[in-house]
Amino acid sequence: MHAFRSLGQKTSISFYVSRGASVSRLFAVGFPQTFSKKVSPVTFSKKVSPFLHFQTRSITRRTRRTMTETEQKALAEQEEEQKAAAKGGLFGWGKDTVQSEDVTEEITGRQADAITPAVQRHLIRVYSLLGATSLASAVGVGLSLTVLPVTAPVFFTALVFQIGGIVAISFTNPERTTLRTSLLVAIGLTSGMTLAPLIAMAIAVNPVIIMNAALGTLGIFAGFTATALLSKRRGLLMLGGPLLGGVIAVLVLGLLTMILPYFGIASPQVLSALYNIYLWLGLGVFSLFIAYDTQRMIESARAGLMDHVSDALGMFLNVLNVFIFLLRIFMPRD
């Protein structure tokens, strides 16, 4: 049990490292207030996230190699027109509008009103892949508890593969859907393997804890998804910056709660307070990420950026972290 406890502490660190690989796409504090309804993916991604812009720009460059000179010129002119139309709107604050050549549509209503048939199909793909990845994670837990016990070499091998898979998905051409989907399912499997020691600890204390954490995760996912859909359109996208800061704060608190006991420089009362702040702050941050990512992927899909694998990966990491924090909250503090 002592070995499981030690590995269980390492497990939480693994998922924060994993989450850090997806944090780069959250640099944008909010969406630009004005952009063209026919905005090109490159122009849109540059405003939304530098990391997303890097990926989209590289894909566009590869695509241009196969274009005729006329098509390349037309695409370049379209991008220049979009830059000119959006000039001054990136950092400006004012009425939210979507502009086209002959129509100006005011951005009003709920986020759910922005779901077009194409966006709906995209969301179905995202949530289907999220379900498959979650199932793979459950299989990974089962394998580790029955067939392949989690020793230190197995744990760190799974951890390296997990982080490597996230990086690979981020830098692989989105058109290679089969490869990226396989990587995502493999990430789910290895995530379950690194989660197994913590699950074993919960089973040893009280198996009901796992059921409570699972039901709580499902409730939080449903509740914050509904909140995102019923909120004002783009109303939660301004949380990108604060949520990024929240992830950093959770990382720092997690490290402090692991390091301070070894040096004996904090009293048990201080450590207990830090640990409670760490748990509840982490739960709040990743719960809000569910709502934030829901609105973000809807708006991205409306702009033509329908990367269902990356969207499913981000949402899977949100759900996984919520489950981990609930599991730790329900477990005894000793």
Side-chain angles (χ1 to χ4, degrees):
M1 177 56 67
H2 177 72
F4 272 136
R5 185 176 298 275
S6 177
L7 282 176
Q9 292 175 342
K10 295 184 179 72
T11 302
S12 62
I13 294 299
S14 73
F15 290 114
Y16 297 129
V17 173
S18 301
R19 184 67 211 188
S22 63
V23 166
S24 56
R25 62 185 174 82
L26 301 170
F27 284 161
V29 175
F31 275 58
Q33 300 302 310
T34 304
F35 63 92
S36 171
K37 188 175 183 180
K38 296 181 180 179
V39 65
S40 68
V42 173
T43 304
F44 177 78
S45 63
K46 186 175 182 180
K47 295 178 182 180
V48 175
S49 166
F51 181 72
L52 184 61
H53 171 62
F54 170 79
Q55 290 181 294
T56 311
R57 174 66 71 177
S58 63
I59 295 169
T60 304
R61 285 174 177 170
R62 287 194 293 270
T63 304
R64 279 179 172 170
R65 295 173 187 170
T66 62
M67 289 182 177
T68 64
E69 292 184 1
T70 303
E71 291 172 333
Q72 290 183 23
K73 184 178 179 181
L75 180 60
E77 290 177 352
Q78 181 186 8
E79 290 186 19
E80 290 300 325
E81 290 175 359
Q82 299 301 335
K83 290 178 182 178
K87 186 176 181 181
L90 179 58
F91 298 105
W93 293 92
K95 184 179 293 186
D96 290 349
T97 59
V98 174
Q99 298 178 346
S100 63
E101 295 177 355
D102 54 356
V103 118
T104 300
E105 174 192 354
E106 186 175 359
I107 302 301
T108 58
R110 302 174 303 175
Q111 188 65 49
D113 298 332
I115 299 178
T116 63
V119 173
Q120 185 178 22
R121 290 191 293 270
H122 173 69
L123 294 178
I124 291 173
R125 288 193 291 268
V126 170
Y127 291 122
S128 298
L129 190 52
L130 172 62
T133 308
S134 301
L135 180 60
S137 181
V139 171
V141 172
L143 288 175
S144 298
L145 294 179
T146 57
V147 179
L148 184 63
V150 179
T151 60
V154 173
F155 176 88
F156 286 109
T157 300
L159 174 58
V160 169
F161 190 91
Q162 178 185 350
I163 298 173
I166 293 173
V167 174
I169 286 178
S170 299
F171 289 96
T172 301
N173 189 335
E175 295 179 357
R176 303 183 66 179
T177 305
T178 303
L179 173 61
R180 299 173 84 236
T181 301
S182 301
L183 286 171
L184 180 55
V185 174
I187 289 171
L189 184 68
T190 53
S191 296
M193 295 177 66
T194 55
L195 179 61
L198 190 59
I199 295 292
M201 290 173 56
I203 293 175
V205 174
N206 188 350
V208 176
I209 293 175
I210 299 174
M211 181 62 68
N212 291 338
L215 292 176
T217 302
L218 182 61
I220 288 175
F221 177 76
F224 279 85
T225 299
T227 298
L229 295 176
L230 297 176
S231 297
K232 179 184 176 182
R233 185 176 172 187
R234 301 184 188 175
L236 301 178
L237 296 180
M238 65 181 66
L239 296 178
L243 286 176
L244 174 61
V247 170
I248 296 174
V250 171
L251 282 168
V252 172
L253 285 173
L255 289 174
L256 287 177
T257 57
M258 294 182 64
I259 294 174
L260 292 180
Y262 291 100
F263 294 97
I265 57 178
S267 65
Q269 292 79 9
V270 172
L271 289 174
S272 178
L274 283 177
Y275 189 66
N276 285 324
I277 295 173
Y278 155 76
L279 291 179
W280 291 103
L281 177 62
L283 179 62
V285 166
F286 288 104
S287 297
L288 285 172
F289 257 123
I290 293 174
Y292 171 87
D293 281 345
T294 299
Q295 289 200 352
R296 179 197 55 77
M297 65 183 180
I298 291 174
E299 292 298 329
S300 297
R302 281 183 63 90
L305 298 173
M306 298 186 183
D307 187 351
H308 65 283
V309 177
S310 292
D311 287 342
L313 171 60
M315 196 61 72
F316 171 71
L317 292 172
N318 295 336
V319 172
L320 189 59
N321 277 282
V322 167
F323 176 75
I324 291 173
F325 279 110
L326 283 178
L327 203 61
R328 290 184 172 276
I329 287 172
F330 291 145
M331 291 177 64
R333 295 294 188 269
D334 57 353

